[in-house]
Amino acid sequence: MQVRKLSLTNFRNYARLELDLPGGVVLLHGDNAQGKTNLLEAIYLLATTRSPHASQDQQLINWDAMQSDDLQVVGRLVADVARPDGQRHLEMRLIVEERGAWANNGQSAFRREALINRRKVRLMDLLGQLRVVLFLPEDVELATGAPANRRRYLNITLCQVDPDYCRELSNYNKVLEQRNALLRRMAEGQTRNSADVLQVLTDKLIEPGSKVLQRRAAFVAEMAREAQDIYFQDLIGGKEALRLGYLPGWYANGRKTADDILRDGDWLQETTDLGAVAARFEAELAATRAADLARGASNVGPHRDDWAILVNGRNLGQFGSRGQVRTAILALKLAEINWMKAATSDVPILLLDEVSAELDAHRRAALLAYVVEEVRGRGTAQALLTSTDTGLFTPEFLAEATTLTVREGRVTKD
């Protein structure tokens, strides 16, 4: 899979960019704040519909365009993608409306549009058209950060490969929102017919929630096997054992110990009986009904899932050294590439943003060797790296790469 051409309009510091990208390894270098990361962000956004850096869409729009007097500002991201099954022309439009009114509490009104081969589609339909694996320095937060970071990682990775999972997750979130809204009204004393409606919404939550739980658990188990091989054999020379523990969100705080939760996760990873998962989820929902009513929110379900990286049985997020965490995250990301290749029979595009500067010489060499091997092994593969310092790369690596200079929103070939 390759992005052959990338076109940006009013995106970040790019007022207008038309960039032809070669296959193989592409190194984007230049000073900080010139636009290197923005190029990777644009590709990631087209692949996942999410930004790895922005929490609001208006942060993605070119600053000068937002200061104009135009009633509507449109940011456009377009990519021509070469896939084993043919070409795709992908486009996302970020449209700023109601410029004069500054609606929504002082923010411009925003909407998105998605197009595939110049035909409008649902935003969800972009998922899977372009598959990427992103390496960031802040990936260490997958081990040390909040559970929401780890759930987001599960969702983004799975949705690029498994459209059924994405649909079930969407269905679950819709019903969960309705159930939480009802619980809030009940907590405020609005009880007319509420108990019956609550039971209906609870029943509707079980099927999609059980499918999400089961698919996530299976994914974590698959990734664990790949990551263990890479970590144990390639990165630390057989000194430590790595595993990924799935922590299902069907327990209320304080009801179970960490070991109990890990055992539940192991059971989910091993079972193929969706009916048994649904029965267990239903029982957990019933057990926390009183707590849900008191709190005005749902206490159990996939929205409270978590997972952990364990080395020799210890949670890295709590007890790991900085070096252990970085090595484990590197193993996880390399495992993600292998998992995605196995699931799709194609190599995802690799996006590496200033990762080399964060790694020591040994880990950097292991990562770059892996990237070159992946790209060299398949003529259709592509990897894009950013760096402020080309001195971090060996002459052998630079000989394999196409180097592009990025300066003030312009990209030129060296």
Side-chain angles (χ1 to χ4, degrees):
M1 183 171 289
Q2 295 179 8
V3 172
R4 295 283 178 79
K5 184 172 183 177
L6 182 66
S7 174
L8 303 178
T9 303
N10 292 332
F11 179 76
R12 293 291 196 180
N13 69 326
Y14 292 98
R16 181 69 176 168
L17 175 73
E18 298 287 339
L19 178 62
D20 293 319
L21 285 169
V25 179
V26 180
L27 176 60
L28 303 160
H29 67 93
D31 294 337
N32 288 321
Q34 302 301 304
K36 303 184 302 296
T37 295
N38 298 343
L39 295 175
L40 302 194
E41 182 181 28
I43 294 172
Y44 187 83
L45 192 62
L46 281 167
T48 69
T49 74
R50 304 276 191 95
S51 165
H53 304 297
S55 58
Q56 298 179 335
D57 277 352
Q58 51 261 46
Q59 295 172 297
L60 303 173
I61 301 297
N62 178 267
W63 174 259
D64 291 334
M66 286 292 283
Q67 306 313 304
S68 72
D69 295 328
D70 298 338
L71 294 179
Q72 185 181 81
V73 176
V74 179
R76 294 176 69 248
L77 301 82
V78 183
D80 290 329
V81 180
R83 295 165 39 115
D85 58 352
Q87 306 288 321
R88 296 288 191 281
H89 184 82
L90 308 180
E91 180 175 351
M92 181 185 290
R93 297 172 183 169
L94 308 172
I95 303 171
V96 191
E97 297 179 317
E98 300 182 38
R99 300 273 293 144
W102 284 93
N104 302 326
N105 298 320
Q107 303 296 327
S108 292
F110 256 81
R111 63 184 173 89
R112 290 184 177 193
E113 289 181 354
L115 296 89
I116 299 176
N117 294 336
R118 296 180 174 82
R119 294 183 62 181
K120 286 188 180 181
V121 297
R122 299 173 304 168
L123 196 62
M124 185 182 294
D125 293 331
L126 278 180
L127 298 171
Q129 300 294 325
L130 169 62
R131 289 183 289 271
V132 301
V133 173
L134 175 65
F135 293 70
L136 294 172
E138 54 265 37
D139 283 337
V140 293
E141 294 182 8
L142 287 174
T144 61
N149 295 336
R150 292 183 283 276
R151 286 192 295 271
R152 186 175 188 268
Y153 172 77
L154 293 180
N155 293 338
I156 287 175
T157 306
L158 278 167
C159 279
Q160 290 190 72
V161 170
D162 189 345
D164 291 338
Y165 170 83
C166 214
R167 281 192 292 271
E168 296 298 343
L169 178 65
S170 178
N171 292 337
Y172 175 82
N173 286 334
K174 288 175 184 175
V175 179
L176 178 67
E177 185 177 354
Q178 294 170 346
R179 188 176 191 267
N180 284 341
L182 177 61
L183 286 168
R184 286 194 297 271
R185 292 197 298 271
M186 294 176 74
E188 294 167 358
Q190 303 176 37
T191 59
R192 183 179 178 182
N193 299 324
S194 295
D196 293 338
V197 177
L198 179 61
Q199 188 58 53
V200 170
L201 292 176
T202 301
D203 292 342
K204 289 178 65 177
L205 206 61
I206 293 170
E207 181 179 356
S210 300
K211 290 179 178 178
V212 168
L213 283 162
Q214 191 176 50
R215 185 66 185 99
R216 284 179 176 176
F219 169 71
V220 169
E222 293 159 8
M223 286 283 288
R225 289 190 288 271
E226 295 283 355
Q228 161 65 3
D229 288 344
I230 294 169
Y231 183 87
F232 189 76
Q233 296 175 11
D234 298 341
L235 297 180
I236 54 101
K239 298 175 184 176
E240 298 172 332
L242 178 144
R243 66 170 291 216
L244 304 181
Y246 182 61
L247 309 173
W250 59 18
Y251 54 89
N253 290 339
R255 283 206 303 122
K256 294 185 179 180
T257 67
D259 288 340
D260 290 333
I261 298 163
L262 275 172
R263 279 192 289 271
D264 283 350
D266 291 342
W267 174 75
L268 269 170
Q269 289 176 332
E270 294 167 2
T271 186
T272 58
D273 186 350
L274 181 61
V277 177
R280 179 64 185 277
F281 185 28
E282 182 178 13
E284 294 290 341
L285 283 166
T288 57
R289 181 184 176 100
D292 291 353
L293 289 167
R295 186 183 173 196
S298 302
N299 284 272
V300 300
H303 61 288
R304 294 179 64 93
D305 273 359
D306 199 359
W307 55 276
I309 303 174
L310 300 104
V311 170
N312 292 341
R314 298 181 5 164
N315 189 328
L316 280 191
Q318 298 172 343
F319 304 108
S321 69
R322 188 173 181 84
Q324 281 180 313
V325 170
R326 290 200 179 283
T327 304
I329 293 300
L330 177 56
L332 180 74
K333 286 293 184 173
L334 298 180
E336 184 183 343
I337 298 169
N338 290 348
W339 175 83
M340 204 171 285
K341 281 194 305 182
T344 65
S345 300
D346 189 21
V347 181
I349 295 173
L350 312 184
L351 307 175
L352 300 93
D353 190 17
E354 294 289 353
V355 174
S356 297
E358 297 293 323
L359 300 174
D360 61 29
H362 171 67
R363 296 183 183 93
R364 182 164 61 244
L367 173 60
L368 296 180
Y370 192 93
V371 169
V372 170
E373 181 181 349
E374 286 297 327
V375 172
R376 184 188 290 159
R378 299 197 183 204
T380 58
Q382 188 178 44
L384 283 77
L385 302 85
T386 70
S387 181
T388 57
D389 182 7
T390 57
L392 294 171
F393 302 89
T394 64
E396 293 77 15
F397 180 86
L398 293 174
E400 294 274 353
T402 300
T403 55
L404 305 176
T405 299
V406 182
R407 182 179 295 113
E408 296 181 352
R410 293 180 174 82
V411 183
T412 56
K413 187 174 181 178
D414 291 359

